[in-house]
Amino acid sequence: MLRFAPSPTGDMHTGNLRAAIFNYILAKQKNEKFLLRIEDTDTARNIEGKDKEIMFLLNLFGITWDNLVYQSDNFPRHRQLAEYLISKGDAFYCYCTKEFLEQKREEAKERREAFRYDDSWAELEKASNPKPVVRLRGSKEEIKFVDCIKGEIQFAPNEVDSFVILKEDGIPTYNFACAVDDMLYDVDFIVRGEDHVSNTPKQMLIHKDLNYNKEMKFAHLPILLNDEGKKMSKRDNASSVQWLLDSGFLPQAIVNYLILMGNKTPCEVFTLQDSLEWFDICKIAKAPAHFDMDKLKFLNREHFKRINEQDLAVLLGYKDASIGALAKIYLQEASTLNEIREKIDKIFANKTLLLNQIQESAQSEIQSNEILEFKAEIIDLQKVILGMLESQDWAKSEFNTFKESAMQISALKGKKFFKPLRFLLTGFVNGPELSDLFPILRLFLKDIVRS
Ligand code: GLU
């Protein structure tokens, strides 16, 4: 069994989605079940509705699960097993107050030593503290495991000191609930972020003390780096799955990129389904993976090319398949749904209003200045074209015929003709070849050149 175990404490991070995708692929490849476990042990930090949001996002990315568990439903089992560990002497009540531990931490810092919990402290404050926690006795032996990505990882005997498994309110800690539930649901391959490497020996120790001997496999995924080569944090937009979607990246392109980054794949552009054929978790590079926005944009364009024109039109908020065809031409210069939508919406914008808006907002962009430079010609040419549309149906005309008529009637030449023409047809003074766009634009000329 494989599992994805998100905490419902915040927005889904791109790194978490990557872990979900890899676990899902492995489950499919091994023909094993895939468990979605909502890790709601941190009751103070849980956010109402985040569980549903996670499920919605996973579905959007094509990830489905066979089994759904809320960790809090198992709290009675966790407590029962903690009591079992106390009864066999592997766990004990610790009455230390936060203040006491803080002081010990300070003292260790002054001695320039790593803080280690000392089991002899457990009952020092028993008389004054009625709310003990439960700790699992630390390991006296070295703990090691082989990680599919990182190789062998060892922890010295003193590295895992006695740690909390039940908090003072009887709620299990992440490590305890996680290890117990991995055991209860027969999870035997764990793929998660490398920030959990230090938790792995604790979870292994819990299994050992529960006499659970199943061999677990681990793959800890290297962290993601931002454009500047620093660890991607909440401040980096690309760390948020929702931000990527809101920016107009397609789910299939995001999945493609998260499988491709820091990996050796047989090709660059593929679907989640394709990757089931060849994905190999051991090929993920040990080094942190750089999040490369340009690569994601490239993949987004590639996946737009694969979408049929009708579906693309609907994604953009239009009904007619030819709008999808138009959008594909704009892939030369637009990479995201939002960028493409901006182009298409400008084509259908009322050009008189658009011209006024540009003037009023006094934008200093070159594009705006260039438009305003031809304001008089735009107004003239608009009248000419409106007249042409009254007297003739141009829906089957060649671009050259249309262009030459407009040029002749308006008596405008060169830049003074072409820039206004492009603006009236597309809302911009630069862009793809008008002759490429015209076979589609001609179907909608009355909607496009309106005043
Ligand atoms: N709830 C943990 C997280 O979101 C899960 C870690 C794990 O997969 O064990 O980071």
Side-chain angles (χ1 to χ4, degrees), residues 128-141:
S128 57
N129 182 12
K131 285 188 172 169
V133 299
V134 177
R135 285 181 187 264
L136 190 79
R137 222 171 276 291
S139 175
K140 306 272 179 302
E141 293 158 17

Side-chain angles (χ1 to χ4, degrees), residues 3 5-7 16 37 39 174 178 190-192 195-196 203:
R3 48 67 160 188
S7 306
N16 288 134
R37 185 170 73 216
E39 298 210 322
Y174 153 70
C178 177
I190 295 178
V191 180
R192 59 184 169 198
D195 46 328
H196 288 290
Q203 295 173 12

Side-chain angles (χ1 to χ4, degrees), residues 196-316:
H196 288 290
V197 166
S198 61
N199 289 321
T200 300
K202 294 181 179 170
Q203 295 173 12
M204 289 172 74
L205 188 61
I206 294 167
H207 283 175
K208 182 168 162 268
D209 289 345
L210 289 173
N211 312 315
Y212 183 64
N213 299 318
K214 184 151 194 158
E215 204 193 318
M216 308 286 279
K217 283 176 103 177
F218 295 96
H220 288 93
L221 302 173
I223 53 164
L224 304 185
L225 302 179
N226 65 15
D227 288 343
E228 292 157 24
K230 297 212 181 87
K231 184 177 170 179
M232 203 149 90
S233 74
K234 277 191 187 152
R235 265 169 287 148
D236 294 297
N237 286 333
S239 74
S240 156
V241 173
Q242 193 59 52
W243 182 86
L244 291 173
L245 292 168
D246 291 346
S247 305
F249 288 101
L250 295 167
Q252 53 272 49
I254 299 172
V255 167
N256 186 159
Y257 183 55
L258 292 179
I259 298 173
L260 180 73
M261 71 191 306
N263 193 0
K264 288 196 193 79
T265 58
C267 52
E268 232 178 9
V269 185
F270 48 80
T271 62
L272 179 58
Q273 200 60 32
D274 296 336
S275 73
L276 301 183
E277 300 292 322
W278 44 254
F279 180 79
D280 180 358
I281 190 90
C282 303
K283 289 202 171 137
I284 299 291
K286 276 186 202 152
H290 265 95
F291 197 96
D292 179 351
M293 208 40 136
D294 289 335
K295 188 57 139 218
L296 178 60
K297 284 185 178 172
F298 160 76
L299 292 173
N300 215 36
R301 289 194 297 272
E302 291 304 310
H303 283 277
F304 272 124
K305 288 182 197 164
R306 293 179 170 204
I307 297 182
N308 74 44
E309 289 163 3
Q310 180 66 63
D311 290 349
L312 184 48
V314 171
L315 275 178
L316 290 161

Side-chain angles (χ1 to χ4, degrees), residues 116-177:
R116 299 266 181 256
Y117 179 87
D118 184 331
D119 291 2
S120 69
W121 300 338
E123 302 205 344
L124 291 180
E125 293 180 286
K126 191 169 178 177
S128 57
N129 182 12
K131 285 188 172 169
V133 299
V134 177
R135 285 181 187 264
L136 190 79
R137 222 171 276 291
S139 175
K140 306 272 179 302
E141 293 158 17
E142 178 188 76
I143 301 180
K144 60 181 178 191
F145 65 92
V146 180
D147 186 279
C148 294
I149 298 172
K150 295 176 170 297
E152 187 173 280
I153 303 182
Q154 295 160 335
F155 295 85
N158 67 342
E159 252 180 285
V160 180
D161 55 359
S162 299
F163 60 94
V164 180
I165 57 172
L166 283 192
K167 292 178 251 181
E168 56 179 35
D169 52 7
I171 304 283
T173 56
Y174 153 70
N175 272 315
F176 192 57

Side-chain angles (χ1 to χ4, degrees), residues 87-98:
S87 73
K88 70 198 268 281
D90 290 326
F92 58 90
Y93 287 106
C94 161
Y95 295 85
C96 294
T97 56
K98 288 195 176 66

